[in-house]
């Protein structure tokens, strides 16, 4: 068994390189942190195609010339365009006005090309032109960059390199770039080709016909000296491999001044910088490793059917997928979505099959580690896992880490969705992904609203989008989290955000493509939190609708987002105490000196817990943990509510035994509380007494508190 509680030494040069001078601890924020803006669902497009393995409505882009978004549909192999000029009547049922069969268009120029996959799409910043990257069926064959008008008319196709996975234009519109992965998809072995990774640059400054690509590769790093330099920078390389073969470009973002392109080398945990004037790779920098033993970096690493975040003596490998860039006071910054990615190549059970995962049982739970035995850049006798479960901001010039969101993603989703915490994108089971990459941040986009800059991060597994204010990269603030997934089924609602695009303007929006559910959502960004008045979409037919409206209007309860109350979702202990605290008017209490390992003074529910403990409304399960994310039972909530009312001077009439509780094994205090609440008409006389040990739902709690208001 691996001992995850051992202490690490931080004197090692490799880790000093990744930690010195950085600010890696995120502020503790809660799911209801108040900001100026709030994500809200405006409408969605449903392609009608789902796939548990993903690849449906995967990548999206925005065309300002016709105010429409274009999506890559991997199932239909087409590009579809949907107008954003819709009326309220049209919004519930958006339909494409254009469908482009890219494979057929290529055949009109190259009849010998065997279509493999449509991987990415981009829109020119000033021209009504879109570009798509297309991979060949053969893993070692060159792919194409395809240029079209916004109306779908073919302009030209350009051969690039092997496995183009991402395409983008420079900010000034003079160049198109593709990231060509060159993955060894047939595995490793004798006579099997591992294609070289590369970046293709296409000059489009003189139009979109008669184009040619210039391919930039990494041969200049193949010497022993250069390779060793990469390893010292913590660039992960397969042992005995040439960097030109092992480096695999994943995603490209271009600086605002169009002078540099930044390319994620996801499997290598690195970013390459391309000089777009000289067309040279000027640097490749490793991103280091995230220390999960540091306060603020707590994670849930065990599939034990509970949301339990704690520090672990393991390191996370950032391995970003999507990246974005922005500039502050003339300095370029890179924003990364730290997904993590394993290397799994070839046919399973064949000699060529390769998988660098190492599954180890810890405390009876299976955890997936990075198998470092075949790779350089790691410290021996240390444990590493895929991804950082966060987003980060790096200085572009030095790749120095200046911000990381720490444990935000897991803490926020644990609070809002305790029953579905770390679920997967094809399985809503609690803790399904805790042992492997957690929420899995997939893509990040940056958008400017007024003078402020925001980052939007999509969580591939549990779903939803996180929004942060990154105007000052040294003072990042959480804004909101919206998840429009329907947890009544494994695949329902909007599942697995993959690609996103920010739509600027007076009414800025975020378009999100979901690759499993086959849906695309249009999110509004300007709704003020305090201005949300509309009823929740999921309570219209609910029996407790009136009670829910009453407690939300009184600001005792809040929705899990602007359109969803989640009436049947269970309350956690921290949420239950928080609503009672709001009911009390959020009084200032004597600061409770008792601190718990799982409750920090900076947690947004800490004051509520301190207040509740000072009044003896609820007891802590033990001396070290409060268990804020554990669901609260009916019994606990009823007793806490009764105890709170006693502190207010609430007068209860002498209660008779109004329900048949005598046959239950419960305390006299619990019976007293239930009888009192029933006598006061707060708890129904016919309340089901046999569910006292079952979790209480949000609607059930709202119904009780509505009678107190």
């Amino acid at each position: 068994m691996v001992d995850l509680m051992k202490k690490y030494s931080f004197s090692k040069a490799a880790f000093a390189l990744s930690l010195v001078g950085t600010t890696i601890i995120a502020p503790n924020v809660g799911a209801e942190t108040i900001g100026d803006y709030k994500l809200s669902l405006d409408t969605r497009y449903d392609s009608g195609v789902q796939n548990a393995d993903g690849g449906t409505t995967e990548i999206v882009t925005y065309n300002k010339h016709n105010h429409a978004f274009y999506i890559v549909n991997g199932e239909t192999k087409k590009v579809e365009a949907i107008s954003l000029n819709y009326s309220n009547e049209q919004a519930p049922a958006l339909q494409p006005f254009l469908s482009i069969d890219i494979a057929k268009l290529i055949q009109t120029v190259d009849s010998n090309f065997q279509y493999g996959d449509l991987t990415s799409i981009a829109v020119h910043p000033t021209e009504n032109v879109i570009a798509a990257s297309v991979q060949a069926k053969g893993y070692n064959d060159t792919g194409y960059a395809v240029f079209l008008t916004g109306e779908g008319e073919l302009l030209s196709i350009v051969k690039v390199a092997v496995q183009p996975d991402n395409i983008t234009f420079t900010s000034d519109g003079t160049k198109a770039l593709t990231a060509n992965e060159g993955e060894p998809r047939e595995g490793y072995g004798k006579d099997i080709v591992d294609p070289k990774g590369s970046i293709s640059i296409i000059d489009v400054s003189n139009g979109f016909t008669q184009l040619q690509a210039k391919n930039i590769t990494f041969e200049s790093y193949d010497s022993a000296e250069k390779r060793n330099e990469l390893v010292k920078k913590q660039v992960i390389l397969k042992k005995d491999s040439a960097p030109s073969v092992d480096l695999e470009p994943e995603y490209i973002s271009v600086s605002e001044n169009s002078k540099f392109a930044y390319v994620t080398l996801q499997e290598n945990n690195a970013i390459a910088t391309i000089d777009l004037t000289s067309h040279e790779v000027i640097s490749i920098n490793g991103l280091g490793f995230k220390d999960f033993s540091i306060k603020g970096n707590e994670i849930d690493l065990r599939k034990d059917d509970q949301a339990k975040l704690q520090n672990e003596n393991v390191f996370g490998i950032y391995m970003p997928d999507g990246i974005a860039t922005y500039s502050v006071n003339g300095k370029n910054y890179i924003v990364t979505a730290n997904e993590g990615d394993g290397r799994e190549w070839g046919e399973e059970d064949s000699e060529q099959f390769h998988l660098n995962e190492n599954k180890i049982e810890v405390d009876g739970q299976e955890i997936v580690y990075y198998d470092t035995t075949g790779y350089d850049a790691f410290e021996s006798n240390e444990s590493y896992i895929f991804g950082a479960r966060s987003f980060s901001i790096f200085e572009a010039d030095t790749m120095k880490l200046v911000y990381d969101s720490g444990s935000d993603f897991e803490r926020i989703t644990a609070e809002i969705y305790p029953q579905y915490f770390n679920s997967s994108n094809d399985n809503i089971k609690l803790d399904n992904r805790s042992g492997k990459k957690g929420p899995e941040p997939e893509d990040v986009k940056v958008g400017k609203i007024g003078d402020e800059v925001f980052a939007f991060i999509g969580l591939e597994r549990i779903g939803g989008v996180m929004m942060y204010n990154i105007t000052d990269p040294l003072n990042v603030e959480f804004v909101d989290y919206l998840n429009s997934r329907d947890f009544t089924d494994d695949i329902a609602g909007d599942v697995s955000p993959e690609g996103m695009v920010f739509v600027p303007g007076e009414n800025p929006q975020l378009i999100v493509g979901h690759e499993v559910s086959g849906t695309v959502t249009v999110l509004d960004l300007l709704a003020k939190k305090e201005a949300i008045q509309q009823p929740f979409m999921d309570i219209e037919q609910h029996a407790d609708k009136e009670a829910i409206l009453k407690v939300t209007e009184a600001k005792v309860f809040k929705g899990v987002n602007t359109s969803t109350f989640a009436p049947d979702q269970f309350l956690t202990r921290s949420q239950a105490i928080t609503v009672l605290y709001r009911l009390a008017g959020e009084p200032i209490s004597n600061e409770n000196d008792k601190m718990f390992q799982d409750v920090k003074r900076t947690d947004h529910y800490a004051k509520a817990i301190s207040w509740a403990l000072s009044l003896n409304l609820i007891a802590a399960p033990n001396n070290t943990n409060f268990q804020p994310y554990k669901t609260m039972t009916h019994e606990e909530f009823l007793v806490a509510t009764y105890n709170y009312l006693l502190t207010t001077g609430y007068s209860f009439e002498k209660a008779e035994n109004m329900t048949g509780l005598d046959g239950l094994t419960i305390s006299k205090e619990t019976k007293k509380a239930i009888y009192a609440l029933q006598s006061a008409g707060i708890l129904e006389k016919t309340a089901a007494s046999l569910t006292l040990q079952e979790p209480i739902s949000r609607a059930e709690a709202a119904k009780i508190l509505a009678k107190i208001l």
Side-chain angles (χ1 to χ4, degrees), residues 11-71:
S11 62
K12 298 172 183 175
F15 296 113
L17 176 65
S18 67
L19 296 175
V20 168
T22 66
T23 303
I24 65 173
I25 304 304
N28 283 303
V29 296
E32 292 181 348
T33 297
I34 298 299
D36 292 333
Y37 306 99
K38 188 170 183 67
L39 296 165
S40 62
L41 176 64
D42 191 60
T43 187
R44 68 162 52 84
Y45 163 64
D46 190 343
S47 70
V49 179
Q50 294 183 350
N51 189 332
D53 295 326
T56 57
T57 50
E58 189 171 6
I59 305 300
V60 295
T61 191
Y62 170 69
N63 186 353
K64 68 179 181 181
H65 298 280
N66 56 8
H67 194 45
F69 63 87
Y70 291 66
I71 60 173

Side-chain angles (χ1 to χ4, degrees), residues 135 139-140 162-163 165 180-188 192-197 245-250 266-267 341-345:
Q135 295 187 2
Y139 296 147
N140 303 319
V162 179
Q163 301 168 21
D165 193 56
N180 313 305
E181 279 193 288
E183 296 174 334
R185 296 181 182 174
E186 295 177 310
Y188 293 116
I192 293 179
V193 176
D194 181 353
K196 292 181 179 180
V245 171
D246 198 59
L247 296 174
E248 298 174 353
E250 180 83 21
Q266 185 175 22
E267 288 82 358
D341 195 17
R343 302 195 189 197
E344 183 174 359
W345 313 122

Side-chain angles (χ1 to χ4, degrees), residues 23 39 62 73 88 99 118 134 193 209 213 280 306 353 356 373 386 392 530 537 564 630 637 660 688:
T23 303
L39 296 165
Y62 170 69
N73 192 319
N88 291 337
S99 183
L118 178 60
V134 180
V193 176
T209 59
E280 295 177 332
Q306 61 178 322
F353 180 71
N356 66 333
T373 54
F386 296 89
S392 302
E530 297 301 324
M537 295 172 60
T564 307
K630 184 179 179 181
F637 188 76

Side-chain angles (χ1 to χ4, degrees), residues 559-571:
V560 297
N561 58 55
T562 55
S563 61
T564 307
F565 183 80
D568 300 321
Q569 180 176 303
F570 297 143
L571 273 182

Side-chain angles (χ1 to χ4, degrees), residues 296-337:
N297 287 348
E298 297 81 8
I299 58 173
D300 187 329
L301 204 56
R302 292 164 175 77
K303 298 169 66 173
D304 54 3
D305 296 327
Q306 61 178 322
K308 185 179 180 181
L309 276 66
Q310 61 188 26
N311 290 118
E312 302 279 3
N313 283 326
V314 297
F315 288 90
I317 313 171
Y318 287 96
M319 292 180 157
D321 187 341
I323 62 169
T325 57
Y326 74 116
S327 178
V328 179
N329 297 324
K331 177 179 284 189
N332 292 328
Y333 292 90
I334 297 174
V335 189
T336 63

Side-chain angles (χ1 to χ4, degrees), residues 8 37 69 82 89 147 156-157 189 209 244 279 304 355 365 447 468 476 510 642 707:
Y8 285 1
Y37 306 99
F69 63 87
I82 294 94
E89 292 75 20
F147 295 88
S156 61
I157 63 173
T209 59
S244 62
H279 293 179
D304 54 3
L355 177 63
Q365 307 296 328
Y468 283 75
V476 174
L510 186 74
Y642 170 69
K707 293 183 178 181

Side-chain angles (χ1 to χ4, degrees), residues 345-364:
W345 313 122
E347 294 294 328
E348 197 167 357
D349 298 327
S350 69
E351 292 183 3
Q352 292 76 33
F353 180 71
H354 178 83
L355 177 63
N356 66 333
E357 293 181 356
N358 192 11
K359 298 179 181 178
I360 299 177
E361 186 175 297
V362 180
D363 299 336

